[in-house]
Amino acid sequence: MTLAALKQAVLEANLATVRHGLVKATFGNASGIDRVSERIAIKPSGVPYEEMTADHMVITDLAGTTFDNRFRPSSDLDTHLVLYRAFPTIGAIIHTHSTYATIMAQARRPIPPLGTTHADYFHGTIPVTRDLTAEEITERYVEATGEVIAETVGSGDPLAIPAVLVAGHGPFVWGRDPEQAVLNAMILEEVAKMAWHGAALDAAPPPISQTLLDRHYLRKHGANATYGQ
Amino acid sequence: MTLAALKQAVLEANLATVRHGLVKATFGNASGIDRVSERIAIKPSGVPYEEMTADHMVITDLAGTTFDNRFRPSSDLDTHLVLYRAFPTIGAIIHTHSTYATIMAQARRPIPPLGTTHADYFHGTIPVTRDLTAEEITERYVEATGEVIAETVGSGDPLAIPAVLVAGHGPFVWGRDPEQAVLNAMILEEVAKMAWHGAALDAAPPPISQTLLDRHYLRKHGANATYGQ
Amino acid sequence: MTLAALKQAVLEANLATVRHGLVKATFGNASGIDRVSERIAIKPSGVPYEEMTADHMVITDLAGTTFDNRFRPSSDLDTHLVLYRAFPTIGAIIHTHSTYATIMAQARRPIPPLGTTHADYFHGTIPVTRDLTAEEITERYVEATGEVIAETVGSGDPLAIPAVLVAGHGPFVWGRDPEQAVLNAMILEEVAKMAWHGAALDAAPPPISQTLLDRHYLRKHGANATYGQ
Amino acid sequence: MTLAALKQAVLEANLATVRHGLVKATFGNASGIDRVSERIAIKPSGVPYEEMTADHMVITDLAGTTFDNRFRPSSDLDTHLVLYRAFPTIGAIIHTHSTYATIMAQARRPIPPLGTTHADYFHGTIPVTRDLTAEEITERYVEATGEVIAETVGSGDPLAIPAVLVAGHGPFVWGRDPEQAVLNAMILEEVAKMAWHGAALDAAPPPISQTLLDRHYLRKHGANATYGQ
């Protein structure tokens, strides 16, 4: 992939998060990686979305070295770097403060698979991280955020459940590429909204069975997927 | 009806579900049937709504045989076929994951007639199916979804209560034609939203009386309808 | 006022209810009266909003006699007539099934003055009617709806609290003219939304004091109003 | 700053509150002050937003003396004046009845820092005022509203927590300039929405730690801020 194509895809992912109502003000950031050249493109810090162009996207390597000094990268860059190093199969990351996913992150409530909307995109419960320690926050906050996400995913397949809610903060979502990450961020917000409404009626709403979860997830993902043209 | 007219009506029903906010991403599908020729038009699988034209609609017969191989039909085709065979009076089917109807489907909560908004379109409680068995999910999921809907409607008039919530999944809605099915899907989402809000205040909100239910429903439906021009 | 001006004002009120999200499908209707000529203009029955013109408005007298037979009036005409006869100071009526006002009507929950948003437009609790009897529903439903609203207002000033929630149905709202009635319907929906959210947190949220209620209401209404240019 | 620039900035802040859905009807008002000339520009009373131009903004001094008589200032002018005198570091004030902030004001519920969205803009709990006394309401309502806000802020830094919820009324928000005040009003509504949803699930949801609150707030504010270009 050319750097120009990567920057354009990352720009579009950033703009899509605003268009879909997932991001207000300058909250949120999207990045993408070309795994061949190991180059990352990420949103610049504090540039208003309405002025943002592909050229604003900041290019770094996996260690966070930037390749020109025109724009400073998102203040969450180090979280993205930790995740790209920890999860070699992912190609894009999106961070938002989307309303219902953030409500669940603030309430420290994981999102169980309550229906097939969830099962079509997330192959199990979307987890919440533990709280960061005072030392982690003070000494190395942004990296520690990435580390606690990686710790929460553990030995699981990051593409099978491509999101984690950071306690007291909000969601980080990823995918094979920027377009898929946007879709996952959108569906996460929808399933979080549904889960909140279920929890408000009923303290422990029933998750769907593993059989139904598999049926829906595997229809759209993996070697035996049958969905689409 | 010509096939071209049927395809156009089904395209418009699919686009209307998006325009009315009932469908996100590629969730949801609408179909219609011409009962004279027994030809069904249904949304293709996984084609983005913004690119969809009447020509993408896939034509099948009641057994699901398609008449050309350019596009694959919606992965929910077999559910639609079961319903067209079980309910000879219906002319269109819409499946969505619209937010509040899905919340109620996930919570396994039927929607009682709490007011005249409901009574104008649904002549009684909108039911929830039982959960599918593991065998049904594994062996014949899409057909079994249709069968459990038909089982839930039982000997009732499918046009009197033109929707069922599939447990842990979402609503299937129908009507005499695609336009009416869209309207029913829209009203279902609205009455589901109202029912959720009622249930959140009050565990068992009072349904309206049978007399009021009849008064409103029969004003708009059946031989003695008086509504409209 | 000319009939043409009355029809135009009533058309605009009907369209405003849709634009402000108070009316979906063909639910809802607005009317206005010229008290000099005692002519009423009301929305026609079942005409889609997007096709509606001033010329579709149906003209009647206070007994409901129409003056040409091109369009049938709203099926709720008799409710409007009862209210125009019972409340000589009102000049327009709007009926909607707006979401939160209807949720409160279905839950039989009056809306107390919980804040100054309410106090600026409604000088006290917005009441809910009793349920209609089976006989009222069967024999004279539309008139009885007007009568139960008038019974609920009783000897109160209909312009001081210009709305009633009809139990299991939805709001009827009025004002001195169509424009004011639209504004009252909009504010009703907003205060109903706030009241629902308050009730969901707290079974009996505190109303504001009579002093604060008076202070806000009388700033905008009556002989000593000081608001505006 | 020229008066023309001040009027334009205040007009834009007023229009932004409507565009962001914080203000309905003619609720709400924004003002700004030029601290050098001690001139305040404020929204006129009861002028519809769609007709409003920079020229409608009313200019006063800190005592409320206006400099021409073409338009009457917002009926809340005296509240703004009290706040500009009490808080010398603020440069703009916005009052809205935005839905969730008003719901919390009606429920007398302060908004604790439940997450980093809050921490990025508000360095602690957003407080609710005490109720005004009957005498304050009767004798000097608009000034007393400003005084009770100042009393609630007390010796705190008004720019560190730039909003107060007035009990039974709604939010007053401020900032260094009109643009920042709009942003604070927007984020307030979002954190109020999240706080309401948290409270509906869980009577006492956990605030984030002081360490995390500081980490986020100080990243964007003060001498060591690192956010942006």
Side-chain angles (χ1 to χ4, degrees), chain A:
Chain A
M1 201 187 324
T2 66
L3 279 187
L6 180 65
K7 284 175 161 186
Q8 184 63 31
V10 170
L11 170 70
E12 282 170 17
N14 276 291
L15 298 180
T17 60
V18 177
R19 197 171 57 245
H20 294 307
L22 304 175
V23 163
K24 296 204 170 101
T26 56
F27 288 115
N29 39 71
S31 71
I33 186 169
D34 173 34
R35 287 288 179 182
V36 178
S37 63
E38 293 198 333
R39 286 297 174 267
I40 291 162
I42 191 166
K43 185 185 156 235
S45 182
V47 171
Y49 283 97
E50 51 276 24
E51 301 170 11
M52 212 178 276
T53 66
D55 208 45
H56 283 103
M57 300 303 115
V58 180
I59 300 293
T60 81
D61 64 17
L62 274 165
T65 311
T66 55
F67 290 91
D68 74 38
N69 295 311
R70 289 179 307 149
F71 301 105
R72 298 174 54 195
S74 164
S75 56
D76 288 329
L77 171 63
D78 287 353
T79 308
H80 291 239
L81 296 176
V82 170
L83 298 182
Y84 284 125
R85 293 191 301 251
F87 306 148
T89 56
I90 72 174
I93 297 169
I94 288 177
H95 171 48
T96 78
H97 290 202
S98 69
T99 308
Y100 283 95
T102 302
I103 288 165
M104 298 301 267
Q106 293 187 168
R108 276 80 172 163
R109 292 201 178 224
I111 303 175
L114 299 175
T116 59
T117 314
H118 186 118
D120 278 340
Y121 288 85
F122 298 93
H123 199 193
T125 295
I126 298 160
V128 182
T129 66
R130 64 170 172 79
D131 280 37
L132 294 180
T133 66
E135 198 193 328
E136 285 171 327
I137 294 167
T138 313
E139 301 298 324
R140 39 208 295 285
Y141 177 61
V142 186
E143 272 172 282
T145 299
E147 288 161 8
V148 80
I149 294 168
E151 174 190 319
T152 304
V153 171
S155 60
D157 173 2
L159 284 174
I161 303 178
V164 163
L165 305 179
V166 178
H169 188 154
F172 279 80
V173 189
W174 46 82
R176 272 191 316 269
D177 54 47
E179 198 180 354
Q180 195 193 52
V182 169
L183 194 54
N184 289 343
M186 239 174 83
I187 303 299
L188 169 64
E189 178 61 10
E190 184 69 8
V191 298
K193 182 174 183 179
M194 289 178 177
W196 182 89
H197 280 80
L201 284 192
D202 189 348
I208 56 174
S209 67
Q210 186 67 38
T211 315
L212 184 55
L213 180 62
D214 291 347
R215 179 66 182 71
H216 267 264
Y217 187 78
L218 299 174
R219 183 171 72 166
K220 286 200 168 182
H221 300 85
N224 299 311
T226 59
Y227 186 81
Q229 296 300 327

Side-chain angles (χ1 to χ4, degrees), chain D residues 9 63 77 80 84 97 103 136 159 192 204 208:
Chain D
L77 171 62
H80 291 240
Y84 283 126
H97 289 202
I103 288 165
E136 285 171 328
L159 283 174
I208 56 174

Side-chain angles (χ1 to χ4, degrees), chain B residues 103-126:
Chain B
I103 289 165
M104 298 301 267
Q106 292 187 170
R108 275 80 173 163
R109 291 202 178 223
I111 303 175
L114 299 175
T116 60
T117 313
H118 186 117
D120 278 340
Y121 288 86
F122 297 94
H123 199 193
T125 295
I126 299 159

Side-chain angles (χ1 to χ4, degrees), chain D residues 142-211:
Chain D
V142 186
E143 273 172 282
T145 299
E147 288 161 8
V148 81
I149 294 169
E151 174 190 321
T152 304
V153 171
S155 60
D157 173 3
L159 283 174
I161 303 177
V164 162
L165 306 179
V166 179
H169 188 154
F172 279 81
V173 189
W174 47 81
R176 273 192 315 270
D177 55 47
E179 199 179 353
Q180 195 192 51
V182 168
L183 193 54
N184 289 342
M186 239 175 83
I187 304 299
L188 170 63
E189 178 61 10
E190 184 69 8
V191 298
K193 182 175 182 178
M194 290 178 177
W196 181 89
H197 281 79
L201 284 192
D202 189 349
I208 56 174
S209 67
Q210 186 66 38
T211 314

